[in-house]
Amino acid sequence: MSRLYTQDHEWVDVAGDVATVGITDYAQGQLGDVVFVDLPEAGRAVTKGGEAAVVESVKAASDVYAPVSGTVTEANPALTDDPALVNMAPEGDGWFFKLTLSDASELDGLMDKAAYDAFIASL
Amino acid sequence: MADDADLNILPLDGLHRRLGARMVAFAGYAMPIQYDGIIAEHLWTRESAGLFDVSHMGQLLVEGDGAADWLESLAPGDFKALQPHRVRYSLLLADDGGILDDLMVTNTGRSFYLVVNGATKAADIAHMQARLPAGISLHHMDDHALLALQGPAAVTVMSRFDLTPETIDQPAFADLKFMAGARWLWNGVPLGITRSGYTGEDGYEISVPAAHAEALAEALLAHAEVKPIGLGARDSLRLEAGLPLYGHDLSPEITPVEADLSFAISKRRKAEGGFPGAARVLDQLFNGAPRKRVGLAVAGRMPAREGASVWKGERQIGVLTSGGFAPSLGAPIAMAMIETDMAADGTAVEIDVRGKRIAATVVPMPFKQKNYVREGEKK
């Protein structure tokens, strides 16, 4: 399944009932230098649109929302030692967390890449 | 930026945009928050030289017989003893001793040149106008820009400029000491230059007629040592240097003693008083204040921000007034206003960050050793 995007600049990859979540390249560019990511612990239930993580740049803390509801299975351990991965590889090695989907139908409202690109071009 | 229309535009606006700055609203102006990135700009300033546009700040001239006496009725500095071409840090105080603003005061020999904060300048001017006696004038130099060149290479860069003393009674530029200032001509353009700043580095603040600001900025940026630096790095640099930011670490609810700025109350004023709120401020100075601005070293990597509560066990003892990540230290740091009993260096406290308790320790400021070149020092 191809990557989907939210208007809050999160992305989500879905493989079976497991989703991987991160923030977009546009989002990291807006944040600037990321110095810390406060990630959810495995087992935590998150709801679509609810706070799931906090990304800290030099100047401010920003909430990251869950694109879909589910239970967190893993946070990216690499971000603990190297939060700048979010700047260097936001849509790759800088992923935030994985979760098991509780309601796959929630994916229906998300944007594909073409729609997201058009969305950020309009900002 | 959608709200550009509501913002005041500074003389270097076009230059900032050509240099690729991200512009934000600050103190009612469109200002550059960053160019290459805050960490890179911060580290560049510490190792070379950064050019800051601080034209949003208010530049005021106070002139007339008795100007020093009048300033002493507003602020606790010894302005009567301030020698020509010397600069002092001071505080504009309310009648209850609360801090209305912090400012730099230079004795130009003919007048006093004041630099006040951008967000407070309108209120400062109103406060001063309302108290202005006959025979003293207050002039807002709103036709001038203000640039800051900060960092260890600042002296080398400025030494390449051909600066002619505007008058014969002033020091040669090469002899300009820390916390001193005067006026020079550069290609016929009058520049008011002080050796001072807000980064903890050696450097200059340069007042320039707005019409010549861009030419001066371009001339400074033409040197390989100099890069433009935004407000983001200005904030992280001043935080590392332990320098308070008005509206955050300082406010009308905070006195000079609570702000740990008692050094700004001159010796003679401590003995004589006679400044706004002197009874309360001097009582705190001699008998202690209930709370104090301190530095906190924050454990781990998670930054703690302004507004976070500070705890000792189950008791809240204060609140963060500034906080963030210190690029030169690679760690989070903060300033807090906490109970004086808990303010001793080495005291272990906790900060509440989103419901988590983060360990922190009261530490002396500056967090990062300052690189000022004071009089008598060689460097």
Side-chain angles (χ1 to χ4, degrees):
Chain A
M1 195 168 169
S2 59
R3 182 164 293 186
L4 298 170
Y5 299 84
T6 72
Q7 291 199 352
D8 296 317
H9 310 288
E10 293 95 17
W11 57 263
V12 56
D13 278 348
V14 180
D17 65 349
V18 176
T20 305
V21 176
I23 66 168
T24 66
D25 186 55
Y26 174 86
Q28 72 79 21
Q30 292 294 308
L31 290 169
D33 298 317
V34 172
V35 297
F36 186 82
V37 187
D38 197 2
L39 292 165
E41 289 168 14
R44 183 174 144 193
V46 295
T47 47
K48 180 181 170 75
E51 290 170 18
V54 178
V55 58
E56 300 261 7
S57 69
V58 179
K59 62 178 186 285
S62 305
D63 288 323
V64 174
Y65 304 105
V68 288
S69 304
T71 303
V72 175
T73 58
E74 182 187 3
N76 186 353
L79 295 186
T80 305
D81 292 332
D82 191 7
L85 270 178
V86 177
N87 295 117
M88 291 182 286
E91 304 199 25
D93 291 344
W95 60 274
F96 277 34
F97 58 88
K98 295 178 192 287
L99 56 76
T100 51
L101 290 172
S102 58
D103 179 0
S105 71
E106 287 179 350
L107 297 167
D108 295 345
L110 301 180
M111 290 178 277
D112 63 12
K113 176 152 177 59
Y116 179 70
D117 287 347
F119 171 68
I120 57 175
S122 73
L123 295 178
Chain B
M1 216 164 54
D3 53 355
D4 266 8
D6 302 331
L7 294 174
N8 294 304
I9 301 303
L10 291 170
L12 295 179
D13 190 83
L15 177 65
H16 296 313
R17 292 173 196 275
R18 284 202 302 284
L19 291 169
R22 178 178 304 163
M23 305 296 281
V24 298
F26 185 84
Y29 292 92
M31 295 199 63
I33 183 85
Q34 66 169 63
Y35 303 83
D36 290 341
I38 294 173
I39 292 178
E41 292 168 29
H42 177 114
L43 298 176
W44 183 265
T45 304
R46 290 258 183 264
E47 69 195 30
S48 187
L51 179 66
F52 303 75
D53 179 11
V54 288
S55 301
H56 63 302
M57 300 187 81
Q59 301 179 63
L60 311 176
L61 270 185
V62 176
E63 217 160 351
D65 287 340
D69 287 290
W70 181 61
L71 286 175
E72 291 193 2
S73 74
L74 303 172
D78 186 351
F79 303 111
K80 285 191 275 202
L82 183 60
Q83 296 301 303
H85 310 305
R86 299 299 302 190
V87 183
R88 282 290 179 277
Y89 174 78
S90 197
L91 300 164
L92 198 60
L93 297 182
D95 289 339
D96 66 355
I99 301 171
L100 297 174
D101 203 358
D102 62 342
L103 71 163
M104 299 290 258
V105 180
T106 305
N107 181 354
T108 72
R110 293 179 295 272
S111 60
F112 290 94
Y113 166 70
L114 280 48
V115 177
V116 303
N117 282 292
T120 44
K121 66 184 176 188
D124 291 352
I125 292 168
H127 176 84
M128 295 171 80
Q129 287 286 5
R131 290 159 178 78
L132 198 64
I136 296 177
S137 68
L138 174 67
H139 173 60
H140 182 199
M141 300 165 61
D142 53 3
D143 55 351
H144 278 64
L146 189 64
L147 305 182
L149 184 71
Q150 299 278 295
V155 169
T156 305
V157 169
M158 284 308 291
S159 72
R160 298 184 196 130
F161 280 65
D162 185 15
L163 297 171
T164 314
E166 192 182 55
T167 57
I168 54 164
D169 62 340
Q170 67 175 64
F173 186 75
D175 296 329
L176 186 66
K177 302 289 195 274
F178 182 70
M179 292 299 270
R183 292 169 63 81
W184 287 269
L185 294 173
W186 170 67
N187 295 337
V189 178
L191 305 179
I193 306 179
T194 58
R195 191 159 177 181
S196 60
Y198 193 50
T199 60
E201 297 296 328
D202 193 12
Y204 305 98
E205 291 178 302
I206 309 171
S207 175
V208 54
H212 299 280
E214 187 160 326
L216 177 61
E218 298 263 31
L220 289 163
L221 290 167
H223 298 263
E225 295 92 337
V226 183
K227 287 185 179 178
I229 309 296
L231 288 178
R234 183 171 165 83
D235 188 49
S236 56
L237 287 158
R238 70 89 195 169
L239 183 57
E240 281 184 354
L243 299 169
L245 174 61
Y246 195 82
H248 302 264
D249 311 297
L250 308 178
S251 77
E253 282 72 50
I254 297 171
T255 69
V257 179
E258 292 167 343
D260 199 22
L261 297 174
S262 299
F263 74 88
I265 308 169
S266 299
K267 187 177 171 190
R268 178 174 61 81
R269 310 302 307 279
K270 284 174 183 166
E272 295 178 4
F275 53 87
R280 178 184 176 204
V281 171
L282 293 178
D283 176 64
Q284 289 189 345
L285 184 67
F286 299 125
N287 302 316
R291 56 188 187 152
K292 184 185 175 190
R293 180 176 65 97
V294 297
L296 295 178
V298 182
R301 297 189 57 124
M302 183 160 73
R305 307 288 179 177
E306 179 179 357
S309 52
V310 183
W311 297 76
K312 185 73 177 180
E314 291 311 302
R315 199 163 62 85
Q316 186 180 344
I317 58 167
V319 65
L320 258 59
T321 53
S322 284
F325 181 80
S328 296
L329 306 174
I333 56 174
M335 287 183 199
M337 187 61 72
I338 66 173
E339 295 175 7
T340 304
D341 292 348
M342 298 291 157
D345 290 341
T347 305
V349 299
E350 289 181 316
I351 307 170
D352 185 307
V353 181
R354 297 185 290 274
K356 293 176 201 167
R357 289 288 185 91
I358 307 299
T361 308
V362 177
V363 294
M365 292 188 283
F367 299 94
K368 173 83 174 66
Q369 193 55 48
K370 290 190 177 95
N371 292 315
Y372 299 151
V373 181
R374 292 180 189 275
E375 203 156 355
E377 292 175 23
K378 289 285 181 200
K379 195 165 173 183

